Amino acid sequence: MKKNPNLLWITVLVLGWLFDFLFWKQSIGVNFAIFALLCLVGGFFILWMDKQRPARGTLWLVPFIVFFAAITFIRAEPMTAFLGFVFTLFLMGILAVTFLGGRWMQYGVVDYIYKFLQLGGSVIVRAGEFSAQVRNERIESGVPRPKVNLWPVARGILIALPIVLIFGGLLASADVIFSNQLNSILKLFSLERFPQYIFRLIYILVIAYLLASVFLHAATKSKDEKLIGEEKPLISQFLGFTESAIVLGSVIVLFAAFVFIQFKYFFGGHANIHIDGFTYSEYARRGFGELVAVAFFSLLLLLGLSTITRREDEVHRRVFSGLGIGLVALVLVMLVSAYQRLVLYETAYGFSRLRTYTHVFLIWIGLLLIVTVVLEIFRRERAFALSALLASLGFALSLSLLNVDGFIVRQNVNRAVQGAGLDVPYLVSLSTDSVPVLTDIYQSSSYPGLTRDAVGAVLFCRLQTKTNDSTDQDWRSFSFPSWKADMDLKTVKSRLNGYQVNDDSWPIRILTPGHVAYDCYGSGSD
């Protein structure tokens, strides 16, 4: 990049201006995905012009970045959208730190930590160091700095300004439309706007500096020639096999006793709901968080002991692996118990976002536990970091493809069909991701009339409380769920004429054609 530093600065300044154009006074929508992809393209362009080619392994990151960037405007459900933002930025960070080396799949946990700390340091100082190096090399080479004479430009502007003002005034008098447009343009140069322009210029320059630093880091610090602990373990195996076996064995005995004593409670289902005075809610909730915590800390325990334990012969390795399998097997039993408790709670009280997240999370942490013990058996402990990354990606992908709020609507409506109540206020509180599912159910003749009436109440509530029409939004704030919800609500609006607002009190209360009243707000906690 030293041969053509101006190209770097022009590119990042354009990206900084595009950030201002896309985000100033705009809500988050398609603008984030556009800017992320522009940064991706800009980075590849700069590095390609500097004859820096990406490693083949690096290119595997690009489809995931594009997917998660798109999710930020395809899904409106908060957790899914949040994971879209997080994984877009996180994967772009991995792309920057491994651009030339492409060995991110071989990173250990310490490598990821070290590489991102290194990237953080580069973001602060790299662009400044680069500018200083270019300036020093120019001075040392004796190449004079090109001088730019701005006086002719200033004189031209001073001469042209009164002439343009005179002709502009005449043209404004001749045409009202032109006059209005000219006034709008002149407002941009009012003194009241100067503080705003200065603030925007500052953050444009800051963003340009940060992007330049990231591109320079990718060009100079991403070769991955040597990974931490690849040749020599970072932490020596200082703990004896006997000590580790005692620790693992003790934990296994404790877990086995817990599973044995609680077996009836784990898998007794509905028959044990009221045993010892437990209510349905208490049975389902009691110990759920603790069981998940046990799974997490058991994973850390197994990884830690695997890293520091000396296994001097094949017998030691087999016994240690066997203990690891036993530990994971018992933890999986506990996870199955936690999963069943969650199902019982959902059966009694319906689905919510938190319960749905937990459903998906339990599956992926269970898979990660199994993979971890397999890696230990085959002595590929280093691959745990990749496994954890893939499990995290799997969790985020699952939520993205599931459509959490649409899933909640379907499950809770199916419960209502079977005779349970339908929490209308909670369904109203869901994001616009839920509206297409709600309209499909309302227009379907396969659902009972009372259930469809309740779903219609949800849609009518949304119409009554709707304050933002996506058709009036700037294209930069475009969100697919909002647009789709608008279209679907317009489709069913004429079919909701039989619904009416019961009174003017708050919260809004809706009366269905069957004379059943529903509140629009007030329930649905996780």
Side-chain angles (χ1 to χ4, degrees):
M1 290 188 186
K2 292 180 181 179
K3 295 181 180 178
N4 195 4
N6 292 334
L7 181 62
L8 170 66
W9 292 115
I10 290 171
T11 302
V12 296
L13 284 171
V14 169
L15 288 172
W17 174 79
L18 285 170
F19 179 90
D20 176 76
F21 171 73
L22 290 169
F23 291 99
W24 180 255
K25 292 187 177 180
Q26 300 293 326
S27 58
I28 299 296
V30 73
N31 46 12
F32 176 84
I34 292 174
F35 185 70
L37 295 180
L38 287 173
C39 289
L40 203 62
V41 172
F44 272 95
F45 170 72
I46 287 293
L47 293 163
W48 187 273
M49 294 301 294
D50 196 48
K51 301 189 185 310
Q52 304 277 4
R53 302 296 184 260
R56 185 177 300 177
T58 302
L59 298 177
W60 284 103
L61 293 166
V62 175
F64 289 102
I65 294 172
V66 173
F67 175 85
F68 284 111
I71 284 299
T72 61
F73 71 91
I74 291 175
R75 290 281 183 249
E77 189 275 316
M79 176 63 80
T80 306
F82 171 76
L83 290 175
F85 290 117
V86 168
F87 277 103
T88 299
L89 298 175
F90 178 67
L91 293 174
M92 290 179 78
I94 295 178
L95 180 66
V97 302
T98 189
F99 184 84
L100 299 176
R103 299 181 65 190
W104 61 276
M105 290 188 229
Q106 300 171 35
Y107 282 6
V109 174
V110 178
D111 289 300
Y112 277 107
I113 296 172
Y114 173 73
K115 293 288 185 180
F116 273 95
L117 288 175
Q118 196 178 44
L119 177 62
S122 290
V123 164
I124 297 171
V125 303
R126 184 69 58 188
E129 290 179 348
F130 175 74
S131 297
Q133 288 173 3
V134 171
R135 185 170 56 254
N136 292 336
E137 289 179 4
R138 183 178 292 151
I139 293 172
E140 291 173 1
S141 64
V143 178
R145 185 175 182 180
K147 295 181 179 180
V148 179
N149 189 359
L150 296 177
W151 279 113
V153 176
R155 287 195 298 267
I157 292 173
L158 290 173
I159 295 170
L161 190 60
I163 298 173
V164 171
L165 288 174
I166 292 170
F167 281 116
L170 293 171
L171 291 172
S173 299
D175 187 89
V176 176
I177 296 176
F178 179 78
S179 176
N180 292 334
Q181 294 295 325
L182 185 62
N183 288 332
S184 299
I185 294 172
L186 291 175
K187 285 181 181 179
L188 297 175
F189 298 96
S190 65
L191 291 175
E192 295 176 354
R193 291 178 177 262
F194 278 167
Q196 178 192 120
Y197 292 153
I198 292 172
F199 171 74
R200 292 168 71 178
L201 177 61
I202 290 172
Y203 77 64
I204 286 172
L205 294 175
V206 169
I207 289 168
Y209 179 91
L210 297 177
L211 288 173
S213 296
V214 172
F215 296 158
L216 288 166
H217 182 92
T220 59
K221 297 290 183 180
S222 63
K223 291 184 179 180
D224 294 336
E225 293 176 352
K226 191 174 182 181
L227 302 181
I228 298 173
E230 188 175 27
E231 296 178 358
K232 183 180 179 181
L234 182 65
I235 301 175
S236 61
Q237 295 178 332
F238 60 87
L239 189 64
F241 169 78
T242 302
E243 292 89 334
S244 291
I246 292 173
V247 172
L248 278 178
S250 301
V251 174
I252 288 172
V253 170
L254 175 65
F255 286 2
F258 182 79
V259 169
F260 177 78
I261 294 171
Q262 297 293 318
F263 195 84
K264 182 178 180 181
Y265 297 93
F266 277 7
F267 304 105
H270 295 269
N272 292 321
I273 296 304
H274 297 292
I275 193 167
D276 295 331
F278 285 130
T279 65
Y280 209 86
S281 175
E282 288 171 340
Y283 174 81
R285 283 180 177 238
R286 189 175 179 86
F288 176 81
E290 289 82 350
L291 291 177
V292 175
V294 164
F296 177 75
F297 287 113
S298 296
L299 179 61
L300 294 183
L301 175 66
L302 183 59
L303 287 171
L305 290 177
S306 178
T307 301
I308 64 175
T309 300
R310 294 193 304 270
R311 282 154 282 181
E312 298 171 351
D313 53 42
E314 189 63 27
V315 174
H316 285 179
R317 282 190 284 269
R318 289 182 179 180
V319 171
F320 188 90
S321 297
L323 291 171
I325 292 172
L327 178 70
V328 169
L330 289 168
V331 171
L332 288 174
V333 172
M334 295 182 194
L335 286 179
V336 170
S337 167
Y339 189 88
Q340 189 192 34
R341 291 178 184 223
L342 184 62
V343 170
L344 288 171
Y345 196 63
E346 289 161 346
T347 301
Y349 299 102
F351 280 73
S352 68
R353 283 175 177 165
L354 181 58
R355 295 162 207 164
T356 305
Y357 304 153
T358 310
H359 239 112
V360 179
F361 174 78
L362 285 174
I363 294 171
W364 283 104
I365 195 173
L367 290 174
L368 182 59
L369 278 165
I370 295 171
V371 170
T372 300
V373 76
V374 170
L375 292 175
E376 200 286 323
I377 292 171
F378 289 98
R379 301 182 219 172
R380 299 290 302 275
E381 294 89 346
R382 186 180 184 83
F384 170 76
L386 177 62
S387 302
L389 175 60
L390 292 178
S392 302
L393 287 172
F395 174 72
L397 285 166
S398 298
L399 293 185
S400 301
L401 298 175
L402 178 63
N403 181 2
V404 172
D405 285 351
F407 173 80
I408 291 169
V409 168
R410 281 200 173 88
Q411 296 300 318
N412 287 351
V413 168
N414 289 335
R415 283 183 69 252
V417 171
Q418 296 170 7
L422 187 63
D423 193 341
V424 168
Y426 183 68
L427 297 188
V428 174
S429 73
L430 298 178
S431 72
T432 47
D433 285 345
S434 65
V435 174
V437 179
L438 288 165
T439 54
D440 287 345
I441 292 171
Y442 181 69
Q443 297 178 96
S444 174
S445 59
S446 60
Y447 290 90
L450 289 177
T451 302
R452 290 175 61 243
D453 280 354
V455 171
V458 177
L459 294 170
F460 194 74
C461 282
R462 296 194 74 100
L463 283 169
Q464 297 304 307
T465 58
K466 189 171 179 294
T467 59
N468 183 27
D469 189 350
S470 64
T471 58
D472 296 331
Q473 288 183 357
D474 191 293
W475 65 267
R476 289 165 286 188
S477 299
F478 172 81
S479 169
F480 177 78
S482 296
W483 172 82
K484 185 69 168 66
D486 285 343
M487 297 299 102
D488 288 344
L489 287 172
K490 288 176 182 177
T491 301
V492 300
K493 187 175 182 179
S494 61
R495 302 182 63 175
L496 297 171
N497 290 333
Y499 291 82
Q500 56 185 320
V501 179
N502 198 17
D503 51 50
D504 295 330
S505 63
W506 186 262
I508 297 173
R509 195 166 178 81
I510 302 298
L511 196 63
T512 71
H515 302 287
V516 179
Y518 293 101
D519 288 333
C520 284
Y521 296 103
S523 183
S525 65
D526 280 341

